[in-house]
Amino acid sequence: MEDPGRESDHLMLITPERVFYAGLLGRPRKRTPGCCHVYVAVKGNLHLSIDDVNTSGELIVTLPNQRHSIASDYRTAISVTLEPESMSDGASEALVARLTGPDKAVYARKILAAYALLRQRRYGDITTAEFDEMCFGEALPRRVLDPRVMRAVARLGRFTGEPVTADTCAADAGLSASRFLHLFKEETGISFRSFRAWKRARHLLHFANQDLNLAHLAQDIGYPDSTHFSHSIRRFYGLKPRAIFVGSRDLAIYRSSETVRLAEAS
């Protein structure tokens, strides 16, 4: 794993299918991320708002593409994110039921213990199954994707500014564009366009603690211009790009070797 050598209680572990974040939530407006979020309070409670319905507690779960806002009593909060294409049908809903059921406090303590381990850097390289075991006590059921869709997902997961189009992926799969788009949505449960937009915004996480020119970064990760970049980031994260970078200055970022390998293959 990569270690920038920062001493901070704020950290982020990025793998291709999971992210463990402990840091500031900021003061976001509504956000609509393309992943499942498990939020855990470090101290006090979290406060969730969905469609003007408010919920508070030490552990809160949201589903992919569920518009919501989240706030914390304490400056640091934990967010565990799970990419939906890596989970079998119904796994997200089953996870919500488990984590918000009678054992909610048990799962909150499990994720807080994972945070303590990560702060002490007491881990080696980590797979998705090991990540899940660390946070939830067991590996979550995996979705088995068609190999042609798996190749497209891997291509979209690389943080590169080169455009990845449906036509390119369809040609690689030996399918017409229309047949590929149908297959992609059938396999992943989300349209190719929406999936690509989320993965592009997710790329921002790799650079969040760096001092960068945001206009250049927008181009590097595939946005046509700064306006599209800002609108997309605000839609998915509820914050302007500048606010994310300001709030991440003391954030230590670690990447699994698989994440690094995908980057080097870009």
Side-chain angles (χ1 to χ4, degrees):
M1 294 191 180
E2 183 175 324
D3 174 6
R6 297 166 186 239
E7 294 296 330
S8 173
D9 290 343
H10 293 169
L11 60 87
M12 181 161 56
L13 168 62
I14 305 173
T15 83
E17 297 175 340
R18 304 285 187 266
V19 176
F20 190 108
Y21 170 80
L24 304 176
L25 290 177
R27 296 184 180 275
R29 63 178 189 176
K30 296 285 186 179
R31 59 176 68 178
T32 314
C35 60
C36 178
H37 269 296
V38 181
Y39 297 104
V40 175
V42 173
K43 294 181 184 178
N45 279 320
L46 299 168
H47 308 282
L48 175 75
S49 176
I50 299 177
D51 296 329
D52 297 323
V53 176
N54 300 319
T55 306
S56 296
E58 63 180 335
L59 186 153
I60 288 171
V61 190
T62 60
L63 293 170
N65 304 303
Q66 187 171 52
R67 192 166 184 261
H68 67 277
S69 64
I70 187 81
S72 173
D73 289 340
Y74 184 63
R75 66 188 300 271
T76 298
I78 293 170
S79 169
V80 178
T81 66
L82 307 96
E83 298 302 316
E85 77 278 3
S86 69
M87 303 168 66
S88 63
D89 287 339
S92 295
E93 292 78 5
L95 183 66
V96 172
R98 280 173 51 200
L99 299 190
T100 59
D103 293 329
K104 176 190 286 190
V106 174
Y107 286 110
R109 289 196 297 270
K110 182 77 173 172
I111 292 172
L112 286 169
Y115 175 40
L117 284 174
L118 293 173
R119 286 175 63 187
Q120 298 166 25
R121 303 179 189 173
R122 288 174 53 192
Y123 54 85
D125 197 22
I126 193 164
T127 64
T128 296
E130 290 166 343
F131 186 109
D132 292 349
E133 179 71 30
M134 177 179 71
C135 292
F136 310 116
E138 63 181 8
L140 301 178
R142 288 194 60 82
R143 185 189 298 262
V144 179
L145 293 173
D146 183 293
R148 294 167 294 184
V149 173
M150 283 183 64
R151 287 197 299 272
V153 167
R155 178 177 287 184
L156 289 163
R158 298 174 189 144
F159 45 101
T160 171
E162 293 189 11
V164 179
T165 66
D167 287 341
T168 301
C169 292
D172 182 55
L175 299 171
S176 68
S178 60
R179 174 60 189 141
F180 169 77
L181 290 172
H182 177 79
L183 178 66
F184 189 94
K185 186 167 186 178
E186 184 178 59
E187 289 283 307
T188 65
I190 188 170
S191 73
F192 179 87
R193 184 175 181 179
S194 296
F195 186 92
R196 181 178 59 186
W198 164 242
K199 292 300 182 183
R200 182 181 290 163
R202 192 183 193 266
H203 296 339
L204 174 72
L205 300 180
H206 295 275
F207 311 98
N209 63 355
Q210 298 180 28
D211 185 13
L212 298 173
N213 180 300
L214 292 185
H216 292 165
L217 175 62
Q219 284 193 324
D220 289 344
I221 59 178
Y223 288 95
D225 54 56
S226 296
T227 300
H228 282 85
F229 175 55
S230 182
H231 286 171
S232 178
I233 297 305
R234 290 182 70 180
R235 176 162 67 94
F236 288 120
Y237 295 110
L239 294 162
K240 295 179 180 179
R242 177 61 60 190
I244 293 175
F245 277 77
V246 169
S248 302
R249 287 172 177 165
D250 69 342
L251 182 69
I253 298 179
Y254 306 95
R255 301 168 181 84
S256 69
S257 63
E258 177 66 9
T259 306
V260 174
R261 186 190 67 76
L262 285 172
E264 292 174 343
S266 299

